Amino acid sequence: MRGRPGPRARLECHPVERLAGNVLLLKRMGIDTHEEPIIYMRADCHVCRSEGFSAHSRITVTTDQASIIATLNVVRDDFVLPTEAGLSEAAWQLLDAKPGQMASLSHQRPVESLGVVRAKIFGHAFQEAQLLGILQDMAAGRYTDIDLSAFLTACAAVGMSLDEIVWLTRGMVQVGERVTWDHAVVADKHGVGGLPGNRTTPIIVAIVAAAGVCIPKTSSRAITSPAGTADAMETLAPVDLDLRSMRRVVEREGGCVIWGGAIHLSPVDDLLIRVERALDLDSDAQLVASVLSKKVAAGASHVVIDIPVGPTAKLRTLEAAHAVARLLERVGKEVGLALRPMITDGAQPVGRGIGPALEARDVLAVTRGDRDAPQDLRERAILLAAEILELAGACAIGSGPSHARAVLADGRAWRKLQAICEAQGGMRTPPTSSQRFEVTASVSGTITGIDNRRLARAAKLAGAPADPAAGIDLHARIGDTVVAGQPLFTLHAETPGELAYAREYLAAHPDILVIGEVV
């Protein structure tokens, strides 16, 4: 009588091994690797040894259903067995793996497009086909975070021509999904970022949709800021909608505010944004390609771009702002967009809240028409919504401000925001923080300046945007007269440790709000 087959016999008869040979059991490690697929293998594993795998090797992991490319971390302890291959959360989700599933492992084929990136580092321009090949390799997961960093750094340091930026924008669209709508005019709005607060987008979408213009807004999460539009909107309603759900919301309400990464529009841009966040790098060329590829992929036809300029904004001079505006217009025209850049004041934060929940609170106050709503946020939202309405042909040139103001004043925008939130999965109440610290004026005088970057840094150290309730509540603005001991802003955090980190930073930078003598 034949005995029961042992583990080795079961491995040999598994269908995956007949295809690839080098087979291990998959194990879910539960490790967050910031969306980068990582595989963990024992140094004494027979596959590791026979294939010559070493730390940072790029490995193709294949099951009967799917295949991914992951970066190897070598393990020298028993939390992974020699017969197992551990997967990070990102790798597990991408592979759609199951506990105990088996996979074959092999070397990744050489990525030839990396040679083009290296050439760019030494000053050689990209060609259109080369850029498309790079983006296709990125979309397929063939680029490590180090490779993505090299690409971003090369583009920022060496610079990109107009043709290169147009090719990059078109290529980003080509390697992702693209949405089409049954509307002659599809509006969109985007801000280039770099200014704390400034959460105009949900207000604008509510005004524009209530005025009868289709505005399916796909937004980003934070790159280098304490909150992106998607982060703030997520405290009001779900934003991780798939394409079918997005269509349902837009068909029902005429607009939405969702996270673009959930519907795979320009997925390469999402990969690059993740690395840009770590590098704290956002070049003009990458900014333009990122913004416009998302607009084209989302099916937009008419776009207004908010470009804040100020001493501590992302764009610090009018010359720099005009240069980006011209670049947006030129590339927008090449990719078929009717585009209007708007250069706005970026000397100080817009609204009071800095951080997802605090910014969402301001959005609610403005849209509801609360008496104590931040008027600067209200007026900027009206200005940008007016431009969209005029550009889209929804009202006569010059009548946009009065039209937008009326939609906000009579409650149509508030009803539309509620309806959009409900359609996206249900309206939520933004969370509040458990830890707070009030920063007061050390002397009496007039606020003459605000350091946007340091203020944003303090909000991030307090936990934003990962902790939605974290951030800063601003109580004073440029031009305000304050007395010693008067509150300037309140720090919000979810843990004592993060509150302490932010307080230490503030103690080292006491001049974030500059107070001059009373005039």
Side-chain angles (χ1 to χ4, degrees):
M1 180 181 293
R2 298 179 62 184
R4 293 178 62 186
R8 180 62 181 169
R10 287 199 295 272
L11 282 173
E12 289 175 348
C13 69
H14 193 277
V16 173
E17 187 177 8
R18 291 199 298 270
L19 292 173
N22 295 326
V23 177
L24 294 175
L25 291 165
L26 295 179
K27 178 180 180 179
R28 188 174 192 170
M29 303 298 293
I31 299 175
D32 182 356
T33 54
H34 196 47
E35 300 179 31
E36 183 180 11
I38 300 292
I39 184 168
Y40 303 88
M41 296 172 63
R42 278 275 290 266
D44 57 352
C45 163
H46 70 282
V47 177
C48 233
R49 295 171 65 181
S50 63
E51 291 293 326
F53 293 150
S54 59
H56 282 274
S57 291
R58 295 285 281 167
I59 297 176
T60 301
V61 185
T62 304
T63 67
D64 286 335
Q65 294 80 31
S67 180
I68 65 167
I69 297 169
T71 301
L72 175 63
N73 283 3
V74 176
V75 175
R76 301 184 187 277
D77 207 340
D78 288 340
F79 63 84
V80 175
L81 300 177
T83 56
E84 295 175 328
L87 296 182
S88 68
E89 280 299 292
W92 189 270
Q93 297 295 338
L94 287 171
L95 199 57
D96 194 20
K98 304 294 185 294
Q101 191 172 10
M102 306 181 76
S104 65
L105 310 173
S106 58
H107 285 278
Q108 176 193 352
R109 293 179 180 177
V111 183
E112 294 184 4
S113 67
L114 282 172
V116 180
V117 175
R118 284 190 286 272
K120 179 67 175 177
I121 292 172
F122 290 99
H124 296 275
F126 290 128
Q127 299 301 311
E128 185 172 11
Q130 292 175 329
L131 258 177
L132 181 58
I134 289 169
L135 297 173
Q136 288 171 334
D137 282 339
M138 289 179 181
R142 300 187 185 106
Y143 272 48
T144 67
D145 280 8
I146 293 173
D147 300 332
L148 295 172
S149 299
F151 174 80
L152 288 167
T153 304
C155 293
V158 179
M160 300 184 77
S161 67
L162 177 64
D163 282 342
E164 288 176 299
I165 300 171
V166 171
W167 297 334
L168 178 61
T169 305
R170 288 175 176 164
M172 284 182 170
V173 176
Q174 189 171 333
V175 299
E177 301 287 341
R178 186 167 182 177
V179 185
T180 57
W181 303 96
D182 294 328
H183 297 271
V185 173
V186 178
D188 208 333
K189 172 267 173 187
H190 191 88
V192 302
L195 190 62
N198 203 22
R199 199 53 56 215
T200 57
T201 294
I203 306 168
I204 291 167
V205 169
I207 293 172
V208 172
V213 176
C214 180
I215 182 164
K217 183 72 179 81
T218 60
S219 297
S220 300
R221 297 192 183 276
I223 302 176
T224 59
S225 69
T229 295
D231 301 308
M233 186 66 183
E234 194 168 39
T235 71
L236 297 175
V239 296
D240 291 349
L241 275 64
D242 59 21
L243 185 54
R244 177 176 295 182
S245 298
M246 177 190 179
R247 285 191 179 279
R248 174 183 52 78
V249 174
V250 175
E251 288 168 2
R252 175 174 153 182
E253 300 299 339
C256 67
V257 184
I258 69 167
W259 176 48
I263 56 174
H264 308 295
L265 299 180
S266 191
V268 166
D269 184 48
D270 293 324
L271 292 174
L272 295 174
I273 284 173
R274 176 171 58 81
V275 176
E276 283 177 320
R277 183 183 297 116
L279 292 174
D280 198 12
L281 178 69
D282 193 10
S283 69
D284 289 352
Q286 197 63 46
L287 181 154
V288 169
S290 171
V291 170
L292 298 188
S293 67
K294 290 285 179 65
K295 303 306 131 189
V296 173
S301 61
H302 294 66
V303 182
V304 168
I305 309 288
D306 180 18
I307 308 174
V309 57
T312 56
K314 181 179 291 185
L315 297 169
R316 301 188 180 189
T317 65
L318 280 173
E319 291 77 12
H322 282 298
V324 169
R326 288 192 296 269
L327 193 56
L328 283 163
E329 287 182 308
R330 294 172 70 185
V331 178
K333 183 178 180 180
E334 291 293 328
V335 297
L337 294 173
L339 187 145
R340 185 172 296 172
M342 296 285 295
I343 296 176
T344 57
D345 180 15
Q348 61 184 326
V350 177
R352 300 190 189 102
I354 301 170
L358 294 168
E359 293 175 20
R361 177 209 59 192
D362 288 351
V363 166
L364 293 177
V366 170
T367 315
R368 283 194 305 249
D370 294 355
R371 288 185 179 181
D372 62 346
Q375 291 305 300
D376 61 329
L377 179 63
R378 178 177 181 271
E379 292 304 315
R380 188 175 296 231
I382 289 172
L383 171 70
L384 295 168
E387 289 294 326
I388 293 174
L389 294 175
E390 291 185 13
L391 183 64
C395 63
I397 300 299
S399 67
S402 60
H403 198 62
R405 199 176 300 276
V407 174
L408 190 60
D410 64 17
R412 279 179 284 168
W414 170 233
R415 292 191 292 274
K416 180 57 70 175
L417 179 63
Q418 293 176 88
I420 288 173
C421 288
E422 290 298 332
Q424 289 186 196
M427 195 163 191
R428 303 165 172 167
T429 300
T432 57
S433 63
S434 60
Q435 307 288 322
R436 300 183 185 185
F437 176 75
E438 195 171 79
V439 177
T440 59
S442 58
V443 297
S444 299
T446 300
I447 305 294
T448 59
I450 297 178
D451 192 320
N452 290 312
R453 292 172 182 259
R454 287 181 174 174
L455 203 61
R457 177 65 175 163
K460 290 166 67 176
L461 287 171
D467 293 332
I472 286 174
D473 205 6
L474 195 61
H475 307 311
R477 303 183 57 76
I478 293 175
D480 289 354
T481 298
V482 298
V483 298
Q486 181 176 329
L488 297 178
F489 57 89
T490 302
L491 200 60
H492 292 251
E494 283 297 285
T495 68
E498 285 172 319
L499 188 70
Y501 293 148
R503 289 184 61 180
E504 288 174 7
Y505 180 79
L506 293 174
H509 301 91
D511 58 346
I512 290 178
L513 269 68
V514 181
I515 302 176
E517 294 182 2
V518 177
V519 179

